[in-house]
Amino acid sequence: MNGGGLVISLDFELKWGVHDVFRYGRYNKNLYGVRKALPKILALFEQYHIHATWATVGLLFAESKAEMAHYLRGIPVKYEDMRYAAYTQLAKVGENEQEDLLHFGRSLVEEIKRTPYQEIASHTFSHFYCLEKGQTKADFCADLYATKTITDGYIAPMKSITFPRNQVNKDYFQACLEAGYICYRGPTNHALYNTSKGRWLGAKKWLDSYFNLTGHHLVTFKDMQMAPLIDIRSSAFLRPYCSPLRVFEGLKIKRIKEGMLEAAKAQAFYHIWWHPHNFGKHIDKNLAILEELLRYFQELRSHYSFESYSMYEVAKLCLHPERGISNDF
Ligand SMILES: [Zn+2]
């Protein structure tokens, strides 16, 4: 019998995930900080035997600007708002990772690959927005194809996908399935999390990270039975350390610990996610929070049969509970 567990996923994207939001280098400190934070996150995962999913933007597998341009030519997506299109950023991209630490990430992918029990998954190739006006299913399929081609032979075929800005378009699920994916991370199961629009909703989501407004959002196999892709939905976003509001940090940690405890007792899953760049500032503070959560997880693991899982491992258990986990990545 499966006893549930902690699921962790990270959306690894560097500048490709934020170029339309932060201009004039306003977020660069966080992005440069990923170079320091990511290896330390991996070290903690190794120390605490954590299995995690790294949903990686396909462009981060590229080794040169020419390679990026080659793949992006195959995805000529015409968003109504062209700020979203990755290829509009090419002029700002350096020749390779030595020159440009914000748009390239192959050496970091290598570190993830070297760490045991880490799943490398997709966050689309070009940080593709599946619900924005102007993009089409053909564009999305071209984006899927680019990821498949650039990763072919380098890593195991990808099985899990997380959608940029959590824009889940069910019309694209069949294409994902045909490309080999079996699961995705759906948004937290509450009306508050079904849309990313609106300042008031944003404030409520923020409050929900500190005070239990919407429940613990445990994930059970029953929730996951959604053909054709399995929804390993999110329970909580791990917000970065916030210096002006540091008095609330304890509440945030407590809220997540309570969710983990409820999941352990109910033999359910608790799925937390964030971006490595969220840890790019106040790195030590954020790592200390992560370690506190992992230490608590360790306690739960010894008191309940509460384990650590990647998204793909949960999907495999959902499909074939009798087989358990096989380590095939
Ligand atoms: Zn993203």
Side-chain angles (χ1 to χ4, degrees), residues 10-54:
L10 295 102
D11 292 354
F12 177 34
E13 55 192 26
L14 293 177
K15 188 104 182 189
W16 299 108
V18 296
H19 65 80
D20 55 318
V21 184
F22 297 105
R23 304 213 172 168
Y24 315 113
R26 270 197 297 131
Y27 197 63
N28 284 0
K29 186 167 183 206
N30 280 71
L31 298 175
Y32 285 120
V34 171
R35 303 271 155 184
K36 194 173 158 206
L38 190 146
K40 291 189 170 180
I41 295 171
L42 285 171
L44 282 176
F45 285 174
E46 198 166 359
Q47 185 185 341
Y48 288 88
H49 309 289
I50 297 297
H51 301 201
T53 295
W54 295 79

Side-chain angles (χ1 to χ4, degrees), residues 221-260:
F221 285 138
K222 202 166 107 271
D223 300 318
M224 294 176 203
Q225 306 291 354
M226 281 175 62
L229 285 189
I230 301 170
D231 182 2
I232 315 290
R233 66 172 52 130
S234 141
S235 303
F237 172 65
L238 178 58
R239 285 187 187 275
Y241 175 84
C242 181
S243 182
L245 298 162
R246 56 189 168 276
V247 287
F248 293 115
E249 287 298 311
L251 292 172
K252 180 179 80 182
I253 297 166
K254 182 168 166 270
R255 171 108 168 86
I256 291 179
K257 282 183 178 175
E258 283 170 359
M260 284 162 64

Side-chain angles (χ1 to χ4, degrees), residues 265-283:
K265 284 182 182 166
Q267 302 197 327
F269 297 92
Y270 192 75
H271 185 176
I272 53 176
W273 73 280
W274 70 98
H275 309 87
H277 59 64
N278 296 134
F279 277 25
K281 226 166 115 180
H282 304 298
I283 296 174

